[in-house]
Amino acid sequence: MTTATHTTRTPAHSLAHLNVLISGASVAGPALALWLSRYGARVTVVEKAPALREGGFAVDFRGDVHRTVLRRMGIWGEVHRRQTHMGRQTLVEADDKERVDLPAFLMSGDVEIFRGDLSTILYERTRDHVEYVFGDSIASLSEDSAGIDVTFDHGAPRRFDLVVGADGLHSNTRRLVFGDEAPYLRFLGYYVAGFQIPNHLGLDRTARIYSEPNRTLMISNYDGDPERAGAALVFGSERLDYDRHDTAEQKRILAQRFAGLGWTHAARALEALESAEELYFDAIAQIHVDRLSKGRVVLLGDAGYGATMGGMGTGTALVGAYVLAGELAAARGDHRAGFAAYEAEIRDYATGCQKISGNAGPFLAPPSEKKIRSRDRVYRLLGSRLLAGFFKRLTEKAASDLALKEYVLEPSAAYASLNRQP
C-alpha cells in the first residue's frame, strides 16, 4: 500500500489557453473547477438543477490521500467546521431494545459532512472565478480537430476546448458520448432511498437502525435539529423497471417493499414518506467504463467510476479532480496526454475503492435472519478497543492506496490570485 505521504513533484504549467465546460455542479465538478481555475483555465460549469442542491446524504473522508487533497484544496478547515459530529448509531430490536452500538469512525470516517454543505464550500471558493450556469443541460456535442461545439437545452450554442462529464452515476455527458448507460451500470441487487421526516424520536446526532431479512430502515439526526430527522431505507430486490423521474411511483415501490416492517417506529416513518417533498431513490450500483475519455471529452467521479454507496465515491471524486487538473497542466493542456495520464493514475485507485461498495447492500440489509445476527456480531467486535484500530486501518487501505503526486502551480500573474485561500 502506498499513501499520500510519498509524493512525486510534477511540473505544472498554465492552462490559460483552455476553455473548459464541466457538466455537473455537485462535488466533482466544482472541485475540478477549483483546480483548473488555479491553473488559469477559463471554466464554465453547467448544472441542470435550478440552484445548488442542499442537504443530501452525509459523506465522509478517511486516510492520508483524502486529507492531503482536502488540505491542498484549502478546504480542510472549513470541512471540519461544517462536519456533522455524528455520534453513536444503534442497532435495535423490533421493540426498539438496543442490541449493538456502532463506533462513530465506522460510519463517519475521519471527518463527515453533508454533501450539500461540501458543494456549497466548493461553490463559494470558485464562484468569483468560474462561470456557473444553473437550470440547463448539454443537449449535443460535436467535436472537430480544434474543439467541441456544444448545444444546450436552453442556452445559446457555445464552443469549448474540452468537456468534462462530472454529472453523476446517470451521466448525461456519458450517454451523449459513450452511449446508453446499460453496458456500464452494474446492478448490485439492492436499492436505497432517503427522505426527511419529523424528529419524533428526539434524536441528537444519533441514529437507530432496524433490520429484517433484505430490508433495513435507519432513522437518524445528523445536524442536531430538534425538529427534523432523516429516514434511509435499503432493500434487496431483483432489478426494477421504474421511471427515475416519477417520485410517486418510487414512493409506491417503497410502501410495498416496507409494508409490515416490524419495528415499532416504522409506521410513522412510512407515513412521512407519503408527504415527503424530496425523495432520493436509486439502485445500489457501480459504473464501469472501458476508458475514461473519448476525444476531447473525459469522465470524472461517479460518471466514470461511481458507486451508489460504500465506495468512498466523494473522496475518490475529489482525488480524481486533483489528478485530472494536475495531469492536464503537466501536459501543458494537451488533452490526449493529460487524459491518458489521468486514467493511468486514477484507474486502479478508483477500482479498489469500488470493490468495497460491493458489500454495502448485503451488509446493510442482510438477506436472512442468520446473516443479520452474524453482521451484528461483527459490529459488536468492531466496537471493542482491541479491534477498532485494526478496522480503522482496514477501511483506510483502499482510500490511501495511491502515491499522490504534487503538481506544482506556477506563480503566473494571470492566476496567482486564485491560489490564495479565502
Side-chain angles (χ1 to χ4, degrees):
M1 181 181 72
T2 52
T3 71
T5 57
H6 300 93
T7 58
T8 303
R9 293 180 67 85
T10 302
H13 305 276
S14 171
L15 296 178
H17 60 293
L18 286 184
N19 187 16
V20 182
L21 174 66
I22 300 172
S23 176
S26 177
V27 171
L32 179 64
L34 181 149
W35 286 112
L36 289 178
S37 64
R38 289 185 186 177
Y39 289 118
R42 289 159 290 149
V43 182
T44 299
V45 179
V46 61
E47 166 58 49
K48 65 180 179 180
L52 284 181
R53 301 175 192 269
E54 298 181 352
F57 287 114
V59 298
D60 64 76
F61 302 100
R62 55 187 75 210
D64 290 340
V65 170
H66 290 179
R67 287 193 297 272
T68 299
V69 169
L70 288 169
R71 284 181 175 130
R72 290 179 184 174
M73 294 176 76
I75 64 172
W76 175 255
E78 186 66 17
V79 168
H80 267 265
R81 281 190 289 275
R82 299 199 193 189
Q83 67 179 302
T84 64
H85 293 290
M86 187 63 176
R88 70 180 189 139
Q89 303 188 38
T90 305
L91 301 174
V92 299
E93 302 278 6
D95 61 1
D96 208 40
K97 180 181 178 181
E98 297 182 357
R99 290 164 61 170
V100 185
D101 272 347
L102 310 183
F105 77 84
L106 183 66
M107 308 296 278
S108 303
D110 297 332
V111 64
E112 182 181 60
I113 185 172
F114 284 112
R115 179 181 290 273
D117 288 344
L118 178 60
S119 179
T120 298
I121 291 171
L122 294 171
Y123 173 71
E124 289 172 348
R125 294 295 179 102
T126 55
R127 63 185 175 186
D128 291 339
H129 313 295
V130 171
E131 177 190 11
Y132 280 88
V133 179
F134 289 99
D136 209 346
S137 184
I138 298 173
S140 69
L141 297 163
S142 179
E143 179 177 336
D144 57 37
S145 60
I148 305 181
D149 292 312
V150 182
T151 65
F152 299 90
D153 289 340
H154 305 294
R158 295 173 62 177
R159 185 169 174 83
F160 297 89
D161 297 302
L162 305 175
V163 172
V164 182
D167 42 358
L169 204 73
H170 305 290
S171 169
N172 175 56
T173 310
R174 188 185 62 232
R175 179 184 61 81
L176 290 171
V177 178
F178 292 76
D180 186 76
E181 76 174 26
Y184 309 120
L185 191 142
R186 184 177 301 172
F187 174 61
L188 299 179
Y190 284 80
Y191 287 84
V192 59
F195 55 96
Q196 195 173 112
I197 66 173
N199 190 5
H200 62 271
L201 296 182
L203 301 176
D204 182 7
R205 291 187 171 86
T206 58
R208 300 183 83 75
I209 305 167
Y210 175 74
S211 296
E212 291 181 2
N214 267 325
R215 53 185 187 169
T216 285
L217 167 61
M218 178 173 73
I219 298 177
S220 59
N221 172 278
Y222 276 78
D223 60 3
D225 189 323
E227 301 298 325
R228 65 182 184 182
L233 298 87
V234 179
F235 66 95
S237 172
E238 72 285 358
R239 194 161 190 168
L240 301 176
D241 182 16
Y242 68 96
D243 183 347
R244 288 198 306 109
H245 304 290
D246 188 342
T247 301
E249 181 184 13
Q250 295 163 21
K251 288 182 178 181
R252 288 193 295 271
I253 292 171
L254 291 170
Q256 283 183 336
R257 294 287 174 154
F258 283 84
L261 192 70
W263 188 23
T264 185
H265 298 300
R268 290 188 68 178
L270 293 173
E271 286 174 8
L273 169 64
E274 297 177 12
S275 58
E277 295 182 2
E278 294 186 3
L279 172 68
Y280 172 86
F281 183 95
D282 207 345
I284 296 182
Q286 297 175 349
I287 291 296
H288 294 268
V289 294
D290 296 332
R291 52 181 174 166
L292 292 175
S293 64
K294 186 175 181 181
R296 291 175 175 269
V297 179
V298 65
L299 302 177
L300 172 66
D302 284 352
Y305 33 86
T308 310
M309 61 191 309
M312 296 174 286
T314 304
T316 306
L318 292 190
V319 174
Y322 171 79
V323 173
L324 175 55
E327 293 297 346
L328 274 173
R332 298 178 181 269
D334 180 343
H335 66 279
R336 298 176 188 84
F339 289 172
Y342 157 66
E343 177 147 4
E345 287 292 313
I346 205 69
R347 169 71 75 176
D348 289 346
Y349 176 72
T351 300
C353 293
Q354 278 185 318
K355 286 179 180 178
I356 298 174
S357 72
N359 298 320
F363 201 67
L364 291 170
S368 67
E369 189 63 38
K370 180 179 179 180
K371 291 192 174 182
I372 290 173
R373 300 293 174 179
S374 176
R375 177 206 63 182
D376 293 356
R377 285 194 295 271
V378 172
Y379 276 139
R380 192 172 290 111
L381 287 171
L382 294 177
S384 71
R385 290 186 178 183
L386 181 63
L387 291 179
F390 167 77
F391 187 77
K392 184 176 187 296
R393 291 190 296 273
L394 187 64
T395 59
E396 291 178 357
K397 182 178 180 181
S400 296
D401 197 10
L402 177 68
L404 198 66
K405 291 181 180 179
E406 185 176 355
Y407 302 101
V408 182
L409 287 161
E410 289 185 340
S412 167
Y415 60 96
S417 64
L418 304 185
N419 295 328
R420 301 192 193 107
Q421 303 307 315

